[in-house]
Structures are given as structure tokens and as C-alpha cells.
Amino acid sequence: MNLTVVGAGYIGLVTSLCFSEVGYNVFCVDVDQNKIQNLKKGISNIYEPQLERILHSNISSQKIHFFDNLKATEAHSSLYFITVGTPLNSNNEADLTQVFSTVEQIALLNNPKKLVVIKSTVPPGTLQLLKEKYKNKDIEFVSNPEFIREGSAFSDCMNPDRIIIGTDSKSATQTLFEVYKPFVKNPKSIIYMDPASAELTKYAANIMLASKISLMNEFSRICEKTGANIDSVEIGIASDQRIGPHFLKAGLGYGGSCFPKDIHSFITLGKQLNEDLLVSKAVAQTNDFQIERFAKKIIDHVQKPQKVTLWGASFKPETNDTREAPAIKIIQKLLEQKFEVNIYDPAANQSISHCFEKHPQFKSLHFFNDQYEALTNCQYLVICTEWKQFASADLEKMKSKSSQLHIFDGRNIFSLEDLKKKNISYYSIGRPQ
Ligand code: UGA
């Protein structure tokens, strides 16, 4: 099978490689010439487990081919997966410019019977708009939202828990079934529906998950005021099958390129449809508040500005993505208060440094390649991301680098018992101090 993937960002690159991994000939297109030149050489600016190995092996087997323009792929395939970005615009709407311009370019190609599969996250109703606009062209459209997570993108993509196919075309349904057959063990995990429901399913999944996190963060505040422990509350509710064990971790809240963006564009969609989406608004507000509250806790505790070490800058472990990472807001608050910040992240030092390179106090940020070195002569440690190597850190070694260590743990990675035994002052979220 030959197919074209348009957009070599996170979703596009991982999807392309998973398609080539099962033996399809994949033509991956991106307008960023520099990115394409690098990908041809096997170089990616994204850190994702397994990515480098899979990229190299598929380049060697000549299953994946990179192009900087769509025209060059015209002779190879009429099946297009669109994975371009839909960032928030200044009105907090999903900006569909890249999706619309990609479809326009596809429409101008000469190959007949095109099938355009929209994987980018778009508001419900978008596919219908496209269908009407191109009704005189030989193009069919399918909504096929993506549910892979950064940090585990390849295993999610190779073993999806469900594939959503939104279309009313029988032939498109059949083609997508063939495409996804190698990925599903049970054909029932392919779910068929109308396009608008498929588009909405994507928002509903992300907002449902984000709301679980915000609710846990709300409970954590009451824990801190009453002596309850959010870990026990989590265990207590996770065993209720109607609630389930996932996405119940209180902490610094959600970040990344998806949850924050999708919630805001969904709230805006509500406004446009004259619906006030109160729960979604509260989820977003609770998330912002959680980070501010944590930053205030650090600043109030430390009192006079001094040096603070920060572990973890990416929005979650196993990625170098710092988009909407809680660490950014924490660093901003610390810089506002004239703190110096030592930063260590296993993958995201470069990316967090880019975020602040134009900041007037950039010189107050110091980057380290070793988590313990970052602690040298620094009394305060702030943890923003739950990388495994932080949870398994050697507490004695940490103490040797920094006497009178105080830890502000925004991800609850340490056990209260262990820290008490080591006599380290420890402030976590929703747990007894
Ligand atoms: C999310 C969804 O989980 C994917 O299904 C979806 O495909 C993707 O967005 C997308 O729309 O493209 P992702 O943003 O990669 O994936 O990361 P998640 O693992 O969902 O984590 C999101 C945020 O929630 C992270 O900042 C994480 O730290 C936070 N989180 C997660 C918590 O604070 N508590 C939890 O219990 C779980």
C-alpha cells in the first residue's frame, strides 16, 4: 500500500513511521525544508523513545520517503493523511489555515479519486465544510482522530485501543479498514461513525482526561487543608470501575500541545454556538491555578530570592517537548522574584533554554547535564516532571551536594516515609507535609 502523510510533526512523523513499519510505502511531506533534509539523513528534532531506531531502519529499508512538496508525491499515492498543526489563534480558536491550504494543494494535484484522511484535531463540522467546498472534485474525506501520547507514541500507534473512522462513504471505510488491519488485534476496536461525531470524540477524550486531572488537583487542595492524603484518595477511587485507575495523578496539572489547546478551542467553539461550557472553563482555570499556587508555595517558603534547582522541564517524561510545560510558568515566577535557577532535564534543556533566550533575566538560568551537579550548593529543589531517574535518585548523594535540602515536589515522586527518614524537608501536593 502507498500513502502520503502531510505534516512531519509529532503525529505525522510517528504515524508515517508506524505505517512504514508495517510495510507500507510512505511518502511523508513537510513544508519545512530543513526538517525534511534532516529527516532524510535520519535526524529528528523530536525526542521520543524508539524514534531514532525506527527512523533509521525504515530509511534503510526504503519504506519511508521524505519530500518538501506535495507535487513530488503525486505519482505515488492518492491516499492522504493530514497531520498538520491546528494551533490556537489569537481568538482562542483552532487555526485551520494549514489544514485548508493542504487540502487545497491536494485538490490541485492531477491524480484521480483522492481520499483525504483528517488526523489533525479540528472542530466538529470541519469535514462537512470541506466536503461542501470540494463537492465538484473527485475527493472523499474521512475524519480519523489520533489518540497517541507523547512519550509512548510508538507503542500507542502500533497497538491502539481504538481507531475512530468518521465517514459516510463505504469505499473510504473499506480503505481505512485495510490500512488499520495490521494494527488491531480485534476488528471491533475499529469504530465507525459520522464525521462530526468522530471530530467531537477527539475533543471529548482530551477534555474528559483533563477534567479528571483538574478534579484530582482540586481534591489535593482539600487534602492539604484537612490532613488527608491524595495518594490514599486516589487508591480509594481508582478501584471503582466506573472511575478507573488512569489520569488520577494530582500534581502541577496538564501541559503539552494538546490538552491546553483543545480545551481553549472547545470553549471558543461553545461560545460560537452560544453554549457556555462551564465545566471545560473550570478545568482550564483549575489547571492554571494549580501551577500558580505551587509557585507561591515555593516563593513564600524561600522568602528572599536565592538559587533554586529545577528538575524536569518537559511537559511530561520521555519527551523534549516543553510546550505549555508547567516548568515554564514556574521559572517565569521565580525569575520575576529575582531567583537564580539551575535547570536539569534529561532531554529538554535545549528546548527550555530556547523558551527563555529572549527573557531579560536569561542569565539567571543555568543549565546542567547532570541532575546532582545541578544541586551543588543549592538548598532548594523543585521537581516539575516525573522522569524515572528523579524518582530513583540517590537521596544520600543529593544531600551530599546540598546540606539542608528542601524539596518541592510538583509530581509526588518521592515517598513521604523515605524523605522523613533522610531528614529532608519535603513539600508535595495534597499530602501531609
Ligand atoms: C494527550 C492524550 O492523552 C492523547 O490521547 C492525545 O492523542 C494527545 O493528547 C493529543 O491530543 O495529541 P499527551 O498530551 O501526549 O497526550 O500527554 P498525556 O500523557 O495525555 O499527558 C497530558 C498531561 O497531563 C501531561 O502534562 C501530564 O503530566 C498530565 N497528567 C497526566 C497529570 O497531571 N496527571 C495524570 O494523572 C496524567
Side-chain angles (χ1 to χ4, degrees):
M1 182 165 334
N2 287 4
L3 52 87
T4 302
V5 176
V6 191
Y10 215 97
I11 301 291
L13 184 57
V14 170
T15 308
S16 297
L17 288 169
C18 289
F19 284 151
S20 56
E21 196 63 4
V22 297
Y24 303 156
N25 292 310
V26 180
F27 305 91
C28 179
V29 182
D30 198 291
V31 287
D32 183 337
Q33 296 184 350
N34 193 28
K35 187 189 273 181
I36 290 299
Q37 285 314 318
N38 280 330
L39 285 170
K40 281 182 176 173
K41 292 184 223 149
I43 303 166
S44 161
N45 61 349
I46 294 169
Y47 171 72
E48 174 70 32
Q50 304 188 64
L51 180 101
E52 212 172 312
R53 176 185 62 77
I54 298 178
L55 178 60
H56 290 169
S57 88
N58 283 280
I59 291 173
S60 305
S61 62
Q62 297 191 344
K63 284 290 171 195
I64 190 146
H65 311 273
F66 294 103
F67 296 91
D68 60 15
N69 68 89
L70 262 164
K71 188 77 185 155
T73 70
E74 183 185 49
H76 301 297
S77 152
S78 291
L79 173 54
Y80 297 92
F81 286 80
I82 298 190
T83 61
V84 294
T86 53
L88 278 184
N89 66 15
S90 52
N91 297 325
N92 266 356
E93 297 161 310
D95 179 348
L96 302 180
T97 313
Q98 293 179 55
V99 173
F100 290 150
S101 88
T102 304
V103 175
E104 185 61 24
Q105 288 172 54
I106 293 171
L108 294 173
L109 299 175
N110 291 321
N111 44 353
K113 282 197 176 239
K114 293 163 198 135
L115 178 54
V116 173
V117 182
I118 310 279
K119 272 199 166 301
S120 305
T121 301
V122 296
T126 304
L127 198 125
Q128 187 57 29
L129 279 178
L130 288 168
K131 246 176 103 173
E132 279 160 22
K133 184 163 178 203
Y134 294 100
K135 63 176 184 277
N136 297 326
K137 297 270 182 183
D138 196 6
I139 307 183
E140 283 195 314
F141 292 94
V142 179
S143 167
N144 171 219
E146 188 49 70
F147 300 102
I148 62 181
R149 295 162 298 174
E150 293 188 24
S152 53
F154 283 98
S155 59
D156 287 354
C157 190
M158 295 306 289
N159 311 289
D161 53 8
R162 84 287 208 192
I163 301 285
I164 303 281
I165 296 180
T167 179
D168 33 31
S169 151
K170 276 201 176 132
S171 65
T173 302
Q174 188 54 36
T175 306
L176 271 284
F177 174 76
E178 293 299 329
V179 169
Y180 284 113
K181 214 160 52 175
F183 295 90
V184 293
K185 288 184 194 79
N186 180 350
K188 281 195 183 142
S189 0
I190 304 185
I191 303 168
Y192 305 95
M193 59 181 75
D194 66 274
S197 302
E199 291 165 327
L200 183 53
T201 296
K202 169 69 191 190
Y203 283 91
N206 275 0
I207 295 167
M208 184 75 80
L209 292 168
S211 65
K212 285 179 95 173
I213 298 168
S214 279
L215 259 181
M216 288 307 283
N217 284 334
E218 191 159 283
F219 300 151
S220 77
R221 283 158 32 202
I222 298 301
C223 287
E224 286 178 20
K225 296 270 161 79
T226 59
N229 186 330
I230 195 71
D231 293 346
S232 309
V233 177
E234 180 190 337
I235 295 167
I237 59 174
S239 52
D240 183 329
Q241 284 185 17
R242 294 166 303 173
I243 297 172
H246 303 294
F247 273 70
L248 296 181
K249 288 274 172 261
L252 288 181
Y254 57 79
S257 62
C258 306
F259 286 4
K261 164 177 88 77
D262 291 352
I263 291 213
H264 287 297
S265 66
F266 191 64
I267 293 167
T268 308
L269 177 71
K271 255 191 224 154
Q272 289 161 351
L273 299 172
N274 214 12
E275 293 296 338
D276 194 4
L277 304 179
L278 297 173
V279 175
S280 301
K281 280 186 189 168
V283 169
Q285 281 166 7
T286 304
N287 200 56
D288 291 341
F289 179 67
Q290 190 69 5
I291 300 171
E292 277 175 27
R293 190 172 178 273
F294 189 70
K296 187 171 180 315
K297 194 186 255 186
I298 302 164
I299 289 160
D300 288 353
H301 186 88
V302 180
Q303 291 182 344
K304 63 177 189 336
Q306 48 185 305
K307 195 172 267 182
V308 161
T309 298
L310 186 135
W311 279 2
S314 54
F315 85 97
K316 64 185 274 190
E318 302 298 339
T319 176
N320 62 346
D321 193 344
T322 53
R323 285 175 288 178
E324 298 286 332
I328 294 180
K329 288 185 191 145
I330 301 281
I331 295 169
Q332 272 163 353
K333 296 268 174 205
L334 293 173
L335 289 180
E336 266 168 34
Q337 300 296 321
K338 308 275 182 275
F339 281 65
E340 296 272 312
V341 190
N342 287 355
I343 298 175
Y344 170 76
D345 187 282
N349 273 7
Q350 208 184 349
S351 146
I352 196 77
S353 158
H354 283 320
C355 298
F356 285 93
E357 61 197 3
K358 296 210 171 84
H359 194 286
Q361 281 153 264
F362 181 62
K363 287 208 171 95
S364 299
L365 302 182
H366 313 282
F367 299 93
F368 287 79
N369 292 323
D370 178 276
Q371 67 193 59
Y372 300 102
E373 286 306 310
L375 265 179
T376 309
N377 297 330
C378 182
Q379 240 184 299
Y380 301 99
L381 170 64
V382 178
I383 297 169
C384 291
T385 314
E386 65 278 31
W387 285 90
K388 279 198 190 102
Q389 68 188 70
F390 300 158
S392 61
D394 179 340
L395 294 171
E396 279 305 326
K397 193 168 173 187
M398 288 164 72
K399 278 179 75 176
S400 74
K401 293 281 173 193
S402 156
S403 57
Q404 291 193 327
L405 183 60
H406 298 247
I407 301 180
F408 296 89
D409 180 357
R411 295 294 177 185
N412 290 358
I413 61 172
F414 291 122
S415 103
L416 294 173
E417 294 271 287
D418 289 352
L419 277 278
K420 201 171 170 187
K421 271 188 220 149
K422 299 280 178 198
N423 209 14
I424 295 174
S425 305
Y426 183 57
Y427 308 89
S428 50
I429 290 187
R431 305 193 295 177
Q433 304 289 292

